[in-house]
Amino acid sequence: QVQLVETGGDLVQPGGSLRLSCAASGFTFIYDLPNIMRWYRQAPGKERELVAQINRGNNVHYPDSVKDRFTISRDISKSTVYLQMNSLKFEDTAVYYCYCQFTRPLREYWGQGTQVTVSS
């Protein structure tokens, strides 16, 4: 059974940093690397939004709201994707979710989320 488990969420002051981890189980990156892996976030009363993406070719994408502050990476040997978040702002407060997608056949998986709170 495929599972994605996010960890690393915490309470942090503005300007601080956090690193989120998303560990995959039920498959290993070495033998079955997802086509796309993403981090999303959802703040109370708002829609879920994409904050980072990495594809099989190691190409990354960020929306302007987090560009130059967030970095997505992966460790294939650990089947884990990371989100390094620097210069955190109040508006980064949200539940952060990990997502992965395989194609042929199409399969999509979500993690349960981890809370990030930026507060002074």
Side-chain angles (χ1 to χ4, degrees), residues 1-119:
Q1 181 180 356
V2 172
Q3 279 191 313
L4 301 176
V5 179
E6 303 99 329
T7 56
D10 205 346
L11 171 65
V12 62
Q13 292 187 341
S17 298
L18 278 178
R19 189 177 80 157
L20 305 182
S21 300
C22 171
S25 63
F27 70 100
T28 58
F29 286 8
I30 291 175
Y31 298 111
D32 199 6
L33 185 64
N35 288 81
I36 293 174
M37 294 206 71
R38 294 172 175 156
W39 285 96
Y40 287 84
R41 68 185 179 189
Q42 187 165 21
K46 295 189 176 181
E47 293 186 355
R48 192 170 295 190
E49 64 171 340
L50 174 68
V51 295
Q53 174 177 297
I54 186 167
N55 66 14
R56 285 177 63 98
N58 221 29
N59 299 302
V60 297
H61 168 76
Y62 309 95
D64 288 343
S65 58
V66 307
K67 196 173 292 183
D68 298 326
R69 298 190 299 121
F70 289 11
T71 303
I72 188 170
S73 62
R74 65 184 172 212
D75 186 330
I76 290 178
S77 68
K78 295 181 179 179
S79 296
T80 300
V81 175
Y82 303 98
L83 183 68
Q84 178 66 43
M85 305 186 294
N86 299 327
S87 302
L88 283 162
K89 306 175 180 180
F90 292 118
E91 53 263 42
D92 294 320
T93 295
V95 178
Y96 284 71
Y97 297 91
C98 181
Y99 163 94
C100 75
Q101 180 191 93
F102 298 87
T103 57
R104 300 175 184 171
L106 178 64
R107 293 169 289 154
E108 299 176 298
Y109 303 98
W110 289 89
Q112 83 291 347
T114 186
Q115 176 71 47
V116 172
T117 302
V118 183
S119 175

